[in-house]
Amino acid sequence: MEMIFEFVMALLPIIWLIIALTALKIPGFKACTIALAIAYVLAVFVWKMPFVDSLGAVTEGAALALWPIIIVIIAAIFTYNVCVATGDMEIIKKMLANVTKDKRVLVLIIAWGFGGFMEGMAGFGTAVAIPASMLAGLGFPPVFAAIVCLIANATPTAFGSIGIPTTTLANITGINVIDLSTNTVILLALLIILTPFVLVFLTGKSKNSLKGITLITFISGISFLLPEYLVAKYLGAELPVVIGAVCSMAATVLAAGIFGKGEVDEKYLLEGRQEVKVTGKEAVVAWSPFILIFVFLLVTSKMAGPFSELLASVKTTVSIYQGNGSSPYTFSWLATPGLWILLSAFIGGKIQGLSMTEMFVILKKTILQMMKTVVTIIAIMATAKLMGYSGMIASISLVFVTYTGSFYPFFAPFLGSIGTFVTGSGTSASVLFGGLQAETSAALGLNQAWITASNTAGAVMAKMISPQSIAIAVAAVNLEGKENMLLKGTIKYFVLFIIIVGVITYAGSRLLA
């Protein structure tokens, strides 16, 4: 009976978040702060956590949130804001729209390829907002534009914002980031191939939608998957989706040029679109911040060997939480993506014609714009650390082990999806349930890296139904009050995708046992 009581008590912060964000419609930053307060009271009074240790756990969570997570988010959104301020984001949009008149191919390039690129580079809503507004601007129905971008945004989220969900999961669990990255791509592989077909089917609205572009659609998926897998396996979590998306865009454009030259049914042609000329110089200037991010992150990645090790040596190690299960926390000052993204944005902004003063004004506005997100992430990270160190996560894990037994792997991705549905963030889902997945898989004698990676694989599926994601899509295409239409359009694909991930997780756990 005590086990069930502790299980219910430990779930209270999570139950609160579900009710607060869905039924009560309380903003994320307020709901997560209250969740932290609930977790704190439970940790101290039910789990008898010493007062000093409870403060240490909260402080460590806040430190992990600020460096490296929040600096990456602010740097990524700052890069995007610089491109908007200079007008170069419009040039990027025009370049993508110039490729073809076939609506199905445009959806693959903009929602799938460019949406994936924006998720990998910036994340946090940009990967839905920008492609959806582009499609709507090209004449696609707003509801359709929002739905396809929400579905397309699912699988790339695993490595969004320069890999933050997966690197955070590695930090939380202590599992090797390469193992987590590789397993995550394997778990998502079938869906990375399937998603472009879903997008084309939705664009054509009939069983004949794939006529003439089946091969192009397959190429769009496989050219995303293979580079993503190789980068995850050999470089880590920062660039799999960025490189996968770039390869997919290039391969889709190339395939459309080679295999899409035949007659296209009139219903698939985009009406009233004028081709706009963009010079080579304009293109390079427009893309310069993103090119620089790509180059800097590649040069400072593990692939760089000795240089990467030199950067990693500039660090400060401190003991913040000093209770049971503690380990020193390391601040890596130079081997952090946020720093290099910030540098890329400043250099790129200079190339695009901004002064340093103008860029610092944009940076200040970006920080103010992201303050609620900053509070949300600090609160959720502190809650997760508190729940982990106090034993609350262990109490939840114990019940799952006891009552699901050998079928636990099938349900593991669904847990991750609850985290994203509640918080709107794959990173927050990693923080909320990453420790639980690692502990439960260890208790059941399952492969820890595989089961823990399934948390991310499940978490990203809920992006398409998360209230926060839907709110971003609604704002991007001016659909205020039509949230239920978007949820209705995405929910069936969420159910299909999460069942597929559950089956793959279960099958893989049997093979790896």
Side-chain angles (χ1 to χ4, degrees):
M1 202 62 201
E2 185 186 350
M3 180 173 78
I4 298 297
F5 171 74
E6 288 191 348
F7 172 72
V8 173
M9 288 292 105
L11 281 176
L12 284 180
I14 296 162
I15 292 168
W16 158 254
L17 283 173
I18 293 172
I19 294 169
L21 294 169
T22 55
L24 302 178
K25 301 284 190 289
I26 293 173
F29 73 101
K30 290 181 182 176
C32 291
T33 305
I34 295 169
L36 172 58
I38 294 168
Y40 188 84
V41 170
L42 290 169
V44 173
F45 292 105
V46 178
W47 274 265
K48 309 296 182 193
M49 191 180 197
F51 177 70
V52 173
D53 289 351
S54 67
L55 289 181
V58 170
T59 307
E60 187 175 297
L64 182 57
L66 287 166
W67 197 278
I69 298 171
I70 287 166
I71 186 172
V72 170
I73 296 164
I74 287 172
I77 302 299
F78 171 57
T79 307
Y80 168 67
N81 287 345
V82 163
C83 291
V84 170
T86 59
D88 282 288
M89 187 51 69
E90 289 304 312
I91 291 174
I92 290 171
K93 289 181 185 179
K94 287 171 189 172
M95 285 177 68
L96 294 171
N98 278 349
V99 174
T100 178
K101 291 179 182 176
D102 190 324
K103 289 193 281 191
R104 299 165 299 173
V105 179
L106 272 174
V107 166
L108 288 176
I109 293 167
I110 294 172
W112 177 241
F114 186 65
F117 178 78
M118 286 309 303
E119 181 61 43
M121 283 292 187
F124 289 87
T126 58
V128 171
I130 301 167
S133 63
M134 286 168 71
L135 288 173
L138 288 169
F140 286 87
V143 172
F144 165 82
I147 287 171
V148 291
C149 289
L150 284 165
I151 293 169
N153 186 229
T155 60
T157 301
F159 302 101
S161 305
I162 315 296
I164 281 292
T166 303
T167 52
T168 301
L169 191 60
N171 286 336
I172 290 282
T173 60
I175 297 170
N176 183 287
V177 72
I178 297 277
D179 292 342
L180 284 176
S181 302
T182 310
N183 282 326
T184 301
V185 180
I186 294 168
L187 282 158
L188 294 173
L190 180 60
L191 293 172
I192 294 169
I193 298 293
L194 182 63
T195 300
F197 285 93
V198 170
L199 300 179
V200 169
F201 174 75
L202 285 169
T203 309
K205 301 185 186 71
S206 77
K207 60 186 177 188
N208 297 322
S209 305
L210 286 162
K211 188 179 177 183
I213 69 159
T214 303
L215 184 58
I216 296 170
T217 308
F218 175 73
I219 288 169
S220 193
I222 199 74
S223 61
F224 203 129
L225 171 61
L226 294 178
E228 184 174 343
Y229 174 76
L230 292 171
V231 175
K233 187 172 175 62
Y234 296 106
L235 293 181
E238 287 85 6
L239 292 172
V241 155
V242 173
I243 294 176
V246 169
C247 291
S248 179
M249 278 191 285
T252 305
V253 169
L254 197 63
I258 297 169
F259 306 113
K261 288 182 176 177
E263 280 290 310
V264 179
D265 193 313
E266 277 189 22
K267 65 183 175 184
Y268 300 134
L269 289 175
L270 197 64
E271 295 171 12
R273 186 184 62 82
Q274 298 297 314
E275 197 163 302
V276 183
K277 291 287 181 191
V278 176
T279 67
K281 184 184 176 184
E282 284 177 329
V284 172
V285 169
W287 285 93
S288 60
F290 300 108
I291 294 167
L292 287 166
I293 290 173
F294 183 77
V295 171
F296 280 149
L297 292 181
L298 213 55
V299 169
T300 58
S301 73
K302 291 175 180 65
M303 195 174 73
F307 182 59
S308 172
E309 289 166 19
L310 177 68
L311 293 175
S313 67
V314 183
K315 61 187 180 184
T316 304
T317 302
V318 290
S319 292
I320 302 174
Y321 169 76
Q322 298 181 347
N324 289 334
S326 67
S327 58
Y329 183 68
T330 302
F331 291 93
S332 294
W333 300 115
L334 296 181
T336 184
L339 192 70
W340 300 101
I341 299 168
L342 210 53
L343 183 62
S344 302
F346 274 108
I347 297 171
K350 201 74 181 161
I351 291 168
Q352 291 176 355
L354 288 177
S355 68
M356 289 302 287
T357 307
E358 288 170 323
M359 282 188 278
F360 275 111
V361 169
I362 295 168
L363 181 60
K364 183 184 174 184
K365 284 180 181 173
T366 302
I367 293 168
L368 292 173
Q369 172 196 343
M370 299 302 293
M371 278 315 293
K372 289 177 182 176
T373 302
V374 169
V375 172
T376 302
I377 293 169
I378 289 173
I380 207 79
M381 293 296 285
T383 303
K385 284 290 183 182
L386 205 51
M387 290 177 73
Y389 285 136
S390 66
M392 292 164 73
I393 293 291
S395 296
I396 299 171
S397 172
L398 182 62
V399 170
F400 267 99
V401 171
T402 307
Y403 290 99
T404 62
S406 61
F407 286 99
Y408 178 77
F410 179 77
F411 295 101
F414 183 68
L415 266 180
S417 74
I418 293 171
T420 299
F421 177 75
V422 167
T423 64
S425 161
T427 303
S428 297
S430 294
V431 175
L432 273 178
F433 293 114
L436 184 149
Q437 302 277 21
E439 284 192 36
T440 307
S441 53
L444 289 168
L446 299 165
N447 184 300
Q448 265 193 305
W450 178 257
I451 299 296
T452 307
S454 79
N455 190 78
T456 302
V460 301
M461 295 308 138
K463 282 286 279 189
M464 66 178 84
I465 59 166
S466 164
Q468 284 88 322
S469 296
I470 287 174
I472 289 164
V474 159
V477 292
N478 297 315
L479 280 173
E480 278 72 13
K482 303 280 176 65
E483 287 87 352
N484 61 328
M485 291 178 72
L486 302 194
L487 186 59
K488 189 179 172 185
T490 57
I491 188 80
K492 52 183 175 278
Y493 295 103
F494 163 72
V495 172
L496 172 66
F497 284 19
I498 198 71
I499 290 171
I500 290 171
V501 174
V503 170
I504 293 169
T505 304
Y506 179 75
S509 70
R510 305 295 286 181
L511 290 170
L512 294 167

